[in-house]
């Protein structure tokens, strides 16, 4: 078993019309044994910027703490929030810095940039970015997430439809992966508000 699969995870971010959604499963496991069913994988950097960290849970928490520290320094120096594109470059640089002993994490970054244009991207453990205009996925359920998102996604969805689409994609995908699941955690972010919802899924 790969170290990236040790705790299990499923992460997906999707773009809508001037909004985005980011969702994860809630299972924390040690290989096939479930340890917790309310594990947080998506973190809020500022109201219009979120990061999801799949992979090894301990590395994810360490990386998140470093990112919060760097973002606070940026805020003090610049007196403004970081743009999603800038933050993605920061995450990439921090990961590449540790390339010979990397953080075993695959981040998914989603945010609203200038003119509330949604930005999503993911990267591998050493910070190689993959930008997308529709959706990005990460984690042990990524293969089935690709299939579900490919089938369900359509451009310029409003916030309500986007929530429905990402939730269905996540729940149907984690049912096909035994290392992730146990419900879902969804954030839908528009220029005006952030909506957080917990999904109930199969508890096995």
């Amino acid at each position: 078993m790969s170290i990236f699969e040790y705790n299990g995870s499923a992460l997906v971010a999707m773009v809508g019309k001037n909004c985005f959604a980011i969702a994860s499963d809630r299972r924390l496991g040690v290989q096939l044994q479930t340890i917790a069913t309310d594990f947080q994988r998506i973190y809020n950097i500022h109201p219009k910027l979120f990061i999801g960290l799949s992979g090894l849970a301990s590395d994810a928490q360490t990386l998140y703490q470093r990112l919060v520290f760097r973002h606070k320094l940026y805020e003090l120096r610049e007196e403004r929030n970081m743009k999603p594109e800038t933050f993605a470059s920061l995450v990439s640089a921090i990961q590449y810095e540790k390339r010979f002993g990397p953080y075993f994490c695959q981040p998914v970054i989603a945010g609203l940039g200038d003119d509330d244009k949604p930005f999503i991207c993911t990267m591998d453990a050493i910070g190689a970015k993959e930008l997308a205009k529709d959706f990005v996925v990460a984690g042990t359920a990524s293969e089935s997430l690709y299939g579900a998102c490919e089938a369900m996604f359509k451009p310029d969805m409003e916030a309500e439809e986007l929530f429905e689409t990402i939730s269905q994609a996540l729940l149907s995908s984690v049912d096909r992966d035994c290392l992730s699941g146990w419900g879902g955690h969804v954030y839908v972010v528009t220029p005006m508000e952030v909506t957080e919802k917990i999904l109930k899924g199969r508890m096995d």
Side-chain angles (χ1 to χ4, degrees):
M1 179 180 271
S2 151
I3 191 70
F4 291 96
E5 296 171 4
Y6 187 72
N7 297 122
S9 54
L11 266 173
V12 55
M14 209 175 261
V15 163
K17 189 177 183 182
N18 290 341
C19 61
F20 71 85
I22 183 167
S24 78
D25 70 321
R26 306 185 76 207
R27 179 184 182 270
L28 172 69
V30 170
Q31 295 181 14
L32 297 177
Q33 182 184 4
T34 301
I35 303 297
T37 59
D38 58 354
F39 189 67
Q40 185 182 358
R41 286 206 169 79
I42 299 171
Y43 303 98
N44 185 349
I45 304 297
H46 64 72
K48 289 186 179 179
L49 179 61
F50 287 77
I51 183 168
L53 295 166
S54 72
L56 192 65
S58 51
D59 276 7
Q61 289 172 337
T62 306
L63 181 57
Y64 169 66
Q65 285 167 356
R66 283 198 66 189
L67 292 170
V68 166
F69 168 68
R70 294 288 287 272
H71 185 261
K72 282 181 176 169
L73 283 181
Y74 182 93
E75 273 184 324
L76 283 169
R77 192 169 56 244
E78 302 280 335
E79 294 183 355
R80 64 191 168 104
N81 282 327
M82 209 181 264
K83 289 180 190 170
E85 294 86 349
T86 315
F87 184 70
S89 299
L90 169 69
V91 178
S92 181
I94 286 175
Q95 289 196 288
Y96 192 68
E97 197 179 278
K98 290 269 190 289
R99 63 192 175 279
F100 299 118
Y103 294 114
F104 296 114
C105 288
Q106 261 187 299
V108 167
I109 295 159
L112 290 176
D114 293 338
D115 306 322
D116 296 320
K117 192 171 183 292
F119 169 90
I120 55 169
C121 96
T122 183
M123 54 194 78
D124 67 2
I126 58 166
K129 280 190 282 191
E130 183 189 338
L131 306 171
K133 294 271 189 292
D134 45 11
F135 58 84
V136 289
V137 304
T140 53
S142 60
E143 284 182 17
S144 49
L145 275 164
Y146 268 122
C149 293
E150 206 67 74
M152 296 180 188
F153 178 82
K154 60 182 194 231
D156 293 331
M157 287 186 281
E158 296 294 341
E160 282 300 310
E161 192 183 0
L162 184 63
F163 166 72
E164 207 60 47
T165 305
I166 201 168
S167 302
Q168 293 297 338
L170 180 76
L171 290 175
S172 62
S173 300
V174 297
D175 284 351
R176 290 165 177 79
D177 175 45
C178 62
L179 296 175
S180 59
W182 229 281
H185 200 166
V186 184
Y187 290 90
V188 179
V189 181
T190 68
M192 306 310 294
E193 62 175 359
V194 177
T195 312
E196 177 187 2
K197 287 183 180 160
I198 302 292
L199 307 175
K200 284 188 176 176
R202 283 178 55 148
M203 298 300 185
D204 59 356

